[in-house]
Amino acid sequence: MLIRKAPDLTYADVTPKSVYLNRRKFLRDMGIVGAAAFAGKGLFDLALTPQVAFAGTKFTGLVKSPFSTTEKQNTFEDVTHYNNFYEFGTNKGDPAKNATKFNTSNWKVSVEGEVKTPRKFTMDDILKIAPLEERIYRHRCVEAWSIVVPWIGFSFSNLAKLVEPTAKAQYVAFESYFDPSQMPEAKYAGIDFPYVEGLRLDEAMNPLALLCVGMYGETLANQDGAPVRMILPWKYGFKSTKSLVKIKFQSKMPPTTWNRLASNEYGFYANVNPNVDHPRWSQAKERRLGEIFKRPTLMFNGYSDQVAAMYNGMDLKKNY
Ligand SMILES: Nc1nc2c(c(=O)[nH]1)N[C@H]1C(S)=C(S)[C@@H](COP(=O)(O)O)O[C@H]1N2
Ligand SMILES: [Mo]
């Protein structure tokens, strides 16, 4: 995998204003596209400065995924300005405004619990686990909107196999970063932090479960869960934990943020299901961001072929 970076950027060139407010244009102006590729050094070693976010750094040599949809993609603008990231505010436009200075340098993800080889991964470690793929997935939110995004990452199973889950590992618990000083809006969100989620082991090991480090050919925007998050395209969006710092393999079903808040509204499985209404609204249809007319929602968000077998014998009206 090659990562391109303008070879001549120095700390002095990079004012926080140009980075935070106009990062993409800035990089284009600096000639980052087509710049000599750096080999040998990792992306996160090449941080322009410890204070600077990495959003906007390009990936090259991405592998095309057979799991990609050919549907029309949403724009980068849509996907970075209509977000759920309650740590940075509860309105869809809040994360774009409030996450600009989110410091994701020196990031570590602790992988622990029922594994033979627990380990703390740096972002450089993570980028070396497997070839990075571009996966264009449909993404369906519980509030009945959907988007199509070219995510970048690899199947979570690659990471899991490295740490060797023990026979006791039945579930995987995911935990987001939380720092109230960087996330002052979190105190008004009405949910407990850190944000926690979980999967059954077989769900986590399903090839569709993506450990995601980027989108649209570059590193993740802060508001989309930089520097590393989960993407589970057959489930409602809230299952896909952003800005991951802890992954724990365990024998018990882990508590999850939204289920803890309102268990009748948000189940543990949260598989996209047009036949199970949310108590306060229908899930039969969805609005693709940028479109006027609603479209029917598909069972498992259209990923039945890959995931339905995991739920054979389960009553999905009860296990929602
Ligand atoms: N840490 C954290 N992760 C989170 C959330 C959140 O508030 N905090 N929101 C979830 C919800 S409800 C959705 S729909 C998706 C949204 O991802 P996106 O903003 O990149 O589309 O992130 C999920 N992951
Ligand atoms: Mo969501």
Side-chain angles (χ1 to χ4, degrees):
M1 177 197 62
L2 295 173
I3 288 149
R4 290 175 190 235
K5 179 181 171 298
D8 49 358
L9 286 181
T10 65
Y11 177 42
D13 292 326
V14 184
T15 65
K17 195 166 165 248
S18 60
V19 172
Y20 298 138
L21 300 183
N22 214 358
R23 175 85 176 157
R24 283 164 67 80
K25 180 177 178 300
F26 174 73
L27 290 173
R28 229 173 283 130
D29 292 350
M30 294 303 291
I32 192 163
V33 177
F38 269 64
K41 270 206 136 211
L43 169 61
F44 289 82
D45 293 338
L46 290 170
L48 301 177
T49 137
Q51 279 77 47
V52 168
F54 305 102
T57 307
K58 299 276 180 197
F59 291 109
T60 59
L62 298 172
V63 177
K64 297 261 173 263
S65 169
F67 297 124
S68 288
T69 173
T70 53
E71 281 167 71
K72 186 167 173 273
Q73 295 171 26
N74 281 91
T75 62
F76 181 87
E77 183 69 14
D78 278 349
V79 175
T80 52
H81 290 82
Y82 199 82
N83 299 101
N84 276 337
F85 200 167
Y86 272 31
E87 289 86 334
F88 293 108
T90 56
N91 293 320
K92 305 293 182 218
D94 286 347
K97 284 184 249 156
N98 298 330
T100 50
K101 291 181 185 167
F102 181 29
N103 183 352
T104 59
S105 57
N106 304 315
W107 196 267
K108 285 197 181 66
V109 182
S110 175
V111 186
E112 55 190 73
E114 289 296 344
V115 293
K116 274 188 211 145
T117 49
R119 190 169 151 191
K120 282 192 169 62
F121 290 84
T122 65
M123 284 310 297
D124 275 335
D125 295 335
I126 288 174
L127 293 174
K128 284 178 201 144
I129 292 174
L132 293 184
E133 292 171 30
E134 179 171 81
R135 291 226 192 138
I136 307 161
Y137 276 165
R138 289 180 292 276
H139 176 93
R140 170 64 157 80
C141 192
V142 77
E143 299 110 292
W145 50 274
S146 64
I147 47 180
V148 174
V149 184
W151 301 112
I152 296 165
F154 49 78
S155 296
F156 174 81
S157 62
N158 291 287
L159 176 144
K161 283 172 195 156
L162 268 186
V163 296
E164 302 173 277
T166 69
K168 284 187 187 153
Q170 307 274 323
Y171 293 93
V172 189
F174 297 92
E175 190 175 306
S176 288
Y177 179 83
F178 182 55
D179 173 4
S181 72
Q182 283 207 69
M183 298 159 160
E185 293 81 10
K187 59 178 170 295
Y188 310 112
I191 59 176
D192 285 339
F193 296 106
Y195 193 97
V196 290
E197 257 304 334
L199 295 172
R200 218 169 52 194
L201 186 67
D202 62 325
E203 299 183 298
M205 300 304 276
N206 186 283
L208 279 188
L210 185 74
L211 190 71
C212 173
V213 296
M215 57 185 204
Y216 297 91
E218 56 190 53
T219 44
L220 278 170
N222 288 342
Q223 60 266 42
D224 287 274
V228 57
R229 67 175 297 180
M230 291 301 293
I231 296 288
L232 305 155
W234 72 99
K235 293 178 178 285
Y236 292 115
F238 68 86
K239 293 297 290 183
S240 295
T241 314
K242 290 180 167 180
S243 303
L244 280 170
V245 290
K246 199 203 275 187
I247 296 168
K248 191 173 180 188
F249 290 77
Q250 54 191 61
S251 59
K252 285 205 185 98
M253 186 184 273
T256 67
T257 293
W258 289 99
N259 181 259
R260 205 151 60 180
L261 186 81
S263 59
N264 63 321
E265 298 193 5
Y266 308 101
F268 177 81
Y269 289 96
N271 291 318
V272 173
N273 189 338
N275 310 314
V276 178
D277 288 341
H278 184 281
R280 290 183 279 135
W281 57 80
S282 165
Q283 292 291 22
K285 288 186 175 174
E286 67 196 56
R287 191 177 63 82
R288 184 68 47 87
L289 231 61
E291 292 182 0
I292 295 166
F293 298 106
K294 288 193 172 181
R295 51 172 81 207
T297 285
L298 303 174
M299 189 66 197
F300 296 114
N301 201 24
Y303 295 100
S304 295
D305 288 353
Q306 290 91 348
V307 302
M310 294 193 291
Y311 309 102
N312 278 347
M314 281 175 74
D315 179 351
L316 294 178
K317 291 215 156 142
K318 264 196 218 146
N319 295 292
Y320 56 84

